[in-house]
Amino acid sequence: MLAEILPEVSDAQLERFFQVMLTQYGMDFREYAPASLKRRIGSVMRRYGLTDADTLIQRLVTQPEYFERFLNEITVSTTELFRDPSMWVALRVQVLPQFVSLPQLRIWQAGVSTGEEALSLAILLSETGLYEKAQIIATDIDKRSLEQAAKVSYPLRQRALYEQNFYAVLPGVPFSRYAEEKEGQLVFDPQLLRNVQFLPHNLVMDSPFGQFELVMCRNVLIYFTPSLQDRVVTKLVDSLVPGGVLVIGTKESLFWCQAAKRLTGVNEAERIYRKRA
Ligand SMILES: C[S@@+](CC[C@H](N)C(=O)[O-])C[C@H]1O[C@@H](n2cnc3c(N)ncnc32)[C@H](O)[C@@H]1O
């Protein structure tokens, strides 16, 4: 396959981009991995027929109403229902039983994108009898993705994949218990969101906001430099009660993170860790 040719973004332009995002919108992108950030800016430029990154930067300076749309376009929102099914099976078998005796179950899902991850968890908790005592805070930097998440409605073309992942995690449970086709969309039962709150939260800039038995932050760290990963993982681990469980993405690693010393592996292949007591 031919490599995509995208408009170039120079280091100086990237610096100017960082300054505008920081001073005008309070968003710090300085420690996002630069190569992938440049690629994503380039792909937004191509979509808008722009050849010079300065034009894009100028647009961000003069058109604040463009910012949310732009943020939605440069953040990678790729996600799936029960993405990486073997992790969800491990969560069901190796982690959820420890929550059965607890009076409440507080969960933070950071970088939840368009909400499929929150729905996956809500379904799994429903099937294991844990849903009623659960409170799920599902956050993302991108408000547009969170608005999408609240609709519980997805393009029908996702159905085959979502159904396949669902059955890999919950064999024998009918998919139709939770989702149906409506007006050309795949629509999930809105009742699944009874105990889910979607909130904007920036992992780089905002403080952690509570203590949780389970924190999931999957496929987000991968976009950060090692030193930012270290700081963000510290926030995630600080947010866990002793014995609480952290899940990161299967392609991610805690290699650079000081806070890894405060964790032990539950299932390292699936990137599931427990905070030491
Ligand atoms: C690839 S998606 C991962 C979605 C889901 N966690 C999964 O694994 O399927 C990455 C998400 O991280 C979010 N994100 C990027 N930077 C962030 C930040 N600083 N704070 C919070 N979320 C962020 C993006 O908006 C995007 O929704």
Side-chain angles (χ1 to χ4, degrees), residues 10 46 51 59 69 81 96 101 132 162 190 206 212 224-225 257 261 277:
S10 69
R46 193 181 53 184
T51 49
R59 194 178 280 191
R69 177 164 150 212
L81 190 77
L96 296 190
S101 58
E132 290 312 324
Y162 288 10
D206 299 339
F212 300 89
F224 300 159
T225 59
C257 304
K261 293 190 193 117

Side-chain angles (χ1 to χ4, degrees), residues 32 75-80 83 110-113 117 140-142 145 201-204 218-220 223-224:
Y32 279 60
T75 48
V76 180
S77 57
T78 318
T79 187
E80 287 168 22
R83 180 178 193 174
V112 78
S113 187
E117 198 169 40
D140 202 282
I141 193 178
D142 177 8
S145 283
H201 180 272
N202 184 342
L203 281 164
V204 180
R218 302 167 66 223
N219 306 300
V220 184
Y223 300 106
F224 300 159

